[in-house]
Amino acid sequence: MTSVFDPGSAPVVKAVDGETIDCDIVIIGSGMGGSTLANAIRDSGARVLVVERGDFLPREPANWSPAEVFQRLRYKNAEKWYDGTTGRAFGPGVHYYVGGNTKVYGACLPRFRAQDFQEIKHHGGISPAWPVSYADMEPFYGEAERMYQVHGEAGDDPTEPPRTTDFPFPALEHEPAIAALADAMTAQGLHPFRMPAGVDVRPGGACIRSRTCDGFPCPRGAKNDAETRGIQPALQSPTVRLLTRTVVERLNTSADGRRVTEAVARRDGSPVLIKASRFVVAGGAANSAVLLLKSVSDRHPNGLANSSGLVGRNYMVHNSTFFLGVDPRRRNTVSFQKTLGLNDWYLAGPDNPYPLGNLQMLGKIQGPMIKAARPWVPMPVLTYMTNHSIDIYLTTEDLPDPDNRVVVGNDGRITVHWKPNNLVPHRELIRRVARVVRRAGYPLIFTERMGIETNSHQCGTAVMGADPRRSVLDPTCRAHDVDNLWVVDSACFPSSTALNPALTIAANALRVAAVSGLTR
């Protein structure tokens, strides 16, 4: 007997007889794409099964322990991946839990800019146009903001695209240290704004604006993530079920290769066969590509849905840098730091002929959070430095390159080939931000550019497009080669932009539910 879990207010076991499960729609992965889609189709009448390789992340005191989360890596439960350049193993920034990476995300939920859906010239090359426009996505952005209860202020950011609906909740106000930084930026002629945030700050809400939010699980369930706002509401429907601790190993097809007939999986080491009429892959850009590449058959000798040869290729993760400005004379007592953003150089302008990228605050950095990266620095020094720092995250667009790719060996070993590109504007972004932060009163600057293991913003491994020769999916995210297969995570993104992808993943899943015919 196999068990299907519906957490509701407490875990409830639903029994499924035998080792074969039948449903109408199976969604493989419960991250932002899979959970949002399940919620969107919960009232369709279709029998929906969400399959998650992990379990529920436990709510416990260790959720808020910097030492447990960042030094002992208590919640990093992914297998090792391998760097295709060096051959070394690394721990990827992916988390196998119900809710996926959103269980530890910073809940920063911006819309992409309207220009991000168009072709853009960058210093390092071309960011391609999407097969859908911002106008196509706009109503679903509003729906996603309501689902994930986003706080924001329309018009706060001068680069914000047009919107037909307001934010469901007001923007989070800055604490004093961040308000002073925003004032200093404004005095320098810049336009800081309050970043859209998905946390439960409202009358009766669970969020207490803890400094252990960004990068941490939330024991209060106060982060509006794919579990709390996606899968939990979906499971209130009698036709939606969740199967945890189950790894899908391959997808089998009909004799002509045009339809997926079953998912071959293992739950706690025991075989499970899942039969459905429609299949949705939403395991994250790398793992979704790996599943397709492993699903080899006579009709699909190079992997499922891979007649273009693009499955696994064009892997993108952002060029990103952790940036600390330190003033040894004053202590930063902020709790919830991640409220400020700056997009003055996001698009090309008079003083930057090419886009540079986005600035947003990190959650408050603490000594144990950087000890692993700087093991030779005494902890008292790290604690003093982070007690006197403001902490910033800088992102510049990583451009699609077919040689940047995810591959999987016969033994299941996942190898990532990734050579960063478009780095000149990233270095310029760092230089400009350093000047701004010094003028704001932080004379000491420390930076660390993120490497191959920082891949929580991964995308691009099964891109959507109109031409089957140049894309894996059609504009509704259905595979060109397979009639009943969709991919609804960030694998479908033709470009990475320079903003957090979570809200766009959710909006696109809602769009797919509405326009693809998935439930018919």
Side-chain angles (χ1 to χ4, degrees):
M1 177 180 289
T2 300
S3 298
V4 174
F5 284 84
D6 173 358
S9 58
V12 175
V13 178
K14 297 179 179 178
V16 177
D17 294 328
E19 300 303 336
T20 298
I21 303 174
D22 288 297
C23 57
D24 298 316
I25 301 171
V26 58
I27 300 172
I28 302 166
S30 69
M32 192 57 118
S35 290
T36 302
L37 181 67
N39 196 7
I41 63 176
R42 64 180 181 175
D43 296 325
S44 67
R47 296 171 302 147
V48 178
L49 177 71
V50 182
V51 180
E52 168 55 46
R53 68 189 300 168
D55 210 331
F56 293 96
L57 192 151
R59 295 185 184 180
E60 56 188 3
N63 290 169
W64 277 350
S65 166
E68 287 292 333
V69 174
F70 288 92
Q71 287 182 270
R72 300 185 184 96
L73 306 178
R74 185 181 183 95
Y75 303 107
K76 289 196 75 171
N77 58 356
E79 71 277 48
K80 293 294 184 182
W81 295 358
Y82 293 83
D83 185 331
T85 300
T86 66
R88 72 174 180 88
F90 66 92
V94 296
H95 295 75
Y96 299 151
Y97 296 102
V98 177
N101 273 2
T102 68
K103 295 308 298 179
V104 297
Y105 78 155
C108 186
L109 295 172
R111 299 183 179 201
F112 287 175
R113 311 297 88 168
Q115 294 88 338
D116 285 324
F117 294 90
Q118 305 165 7
E119 180 177 290
I120 300 177
K121 291 183 179 179
H122 287 263
H123 182 277
I126 299 295
S127 178
W130 291 41
V132 295
S133 67
Y134 174 76
D136 295 327
M137 291 286 289
E138 197 282 330
F140 303 105
Y141 271 128
E143 188 177 343
E145 287 168 344
R146 291 188 294 275
M147 180 182 296
Y148 289 95
Q149 300 185 359
V150 181
H151 293 258
E153 179 67 37
D156 214 9
D157 174 9
T159 71
E160 184 185 37
R163 57 169 52 243
T164 58
T165 55
D166 205 349
F167 286 98
F169 291 94
L172 301 181
E173 297 298 335
H174 303 315
E175 294 179 43
I178 307 308
L181 177 62
D183 290 344
M185 289 178 168
T186 301
Q188 296 176 53
L190 300 173
H191 303 86
F193 61 94
R194 291 163 293 176
M195 284 295 293
V199 288
D200 190 19
V201 177
R202 57 190 171 90
C207 181
I208 60 171
R209 294 179 64 121
S210 166
R211 66 169 38 197
T212 48
C213 179
D214 189 5
F216 294 82
C218 182
R220 297 176 63 87
K223 200 179 291 188
N224 296 335
D225 59 36
E227 179 200 344
T228 60
R229 302 301 175 193
I231 198 67
Q232 290 276 16
L235 290 172
Q236 302 308 306
S237 167
T239 61
V240 179
R241 296 178 295 170
L242 174 66
L243 184 66
T244 57
R245 306 195 311 276
T246 303
V247 178
V248 177
E249 298 178 331
R250 60 173 287 120
L251 300 175
N252 291 335
T253 66
S254 55
D256 63 2
R258 290 301 310 181
R259 297 185 64 82
V260 179
T261 56
E262 58 194 17
V264 179
R266 299 192 76 83
R267 185 172 196 274
D268 295 336
S270 299
V272 178
L273 195 64
I274 304 168
K275 294 180 177 291
S277 56
R278 285 143 286 174
F279 290 78
V280 179
V281 176
N287 277 308
S288 288
V290 165
L291 176 59
L292 297 179
L293 291 170
K294 289 169 65 176
S295 300
V296 175
S297 66
D298 290 342
R299 293 289 184 176
H300 299 278
N302 299 313
L304 189 61
N306 197 24
S307 64
S308 64
L310 292 175
V311 172
R313 293 188 181 271
N314 296 304
Y315 173 83
M316 297 168 278
V317 292
H318 284 158
N319 297 310
S320 56
T321 288
F322 280 21
F323 179 110
L324 273 64
V326 178
D327 181 358
R329 303 161 297 183
R330 54 176 163 164
R331 186 182 179 99
N332 182 2
T333 60
V334 70
S335 289
F336 195 90
Q337 183 172 249
K338 198 175 182 69
T339 56
L340 181 145
L342 185 77
N343 279 333
D344 283 57
W345 306 304
Y346 187 85
L347 302 170
D351 63 342
N352 51 291
Y354 297 99
L356 300 185
N358 166 259
L359 175 157
Q360 62 184 263
M361 303 308 296
L362 288 162
K364 187 68 197 81
I365 296 295
Q366 302 171 62
M369 298 167 69
I370 55 177
K371 180 63 175 175
R374 295 290 185 271
W376 59 89
V377 181
M379 183 60 75
V381 174
L382 294 176
T383 298
Y384 186 87
M385 181 179 74
T386 55
N387 282 345
H388 293 78
S389 69
I390 55 165
D391 316 299
I392 294 170
Y393 191 58
L394 302 177
T395 54
T396 300
E397 184 157 349
D398 183 27
L399 301 174
D401 179 345
D403 290 332
N404 285 343
R405 61 186 302 202
V406 178
V407 298
V408 58
N410 292 333
D411 58 355
R413 173 168 157 163
I414 298 171
T415 299
V416 177
H417 299 265
W418 180 63
K419 181 179 180 181
N421 57 44
N422 202 34
L423 288 173
V424 170
H426 190 65
R427 289 191 285 267
E428 176 62 14
L429 179 63
I430 295 169
R431 187 188 70 80
R432 294 190 185 195
V433 172
R435 181 181 61 198
V436 168
V437 169
R438 285 194 176 101
R439 289 176 177 175
Y442 295 87
L444 305 180
I445 303 298
F446 300 89
T447 64
E448 178 77 11
R449 188 162 69 83
M450 299 296 97
I452 194 169
E453 68 282 349
T454 306
N455 56 1
S456 55
H457 291 181
Q458 61 185 261
C459 62
T461 58
V463 297
M464 58 175 160
D467 187 345
R469 298 169 300 175
R470 296 183 174 88
S471 58
V472 177
L473 312 171
D474 72 14
T476 70
C477 292
R478 188 176 71 174
H480 290 298
D481 301 346
V482 186
D483 296 334
N484 66 335
L485 174 66
W486 288 260
V487 179
V488 297
D489 54 31
S490 58
C492 72
F493 286 16
S495 66
S496 67
T497 79
L499 289 168
N500 310 54
L503 188 73
T504 301
I505 296 171
N508 186 60
L510 294 170
R511 183 184 68 89
V512 170
V515 307
S516 70
L518 174 66
T519 58
R520 295 196 295 272

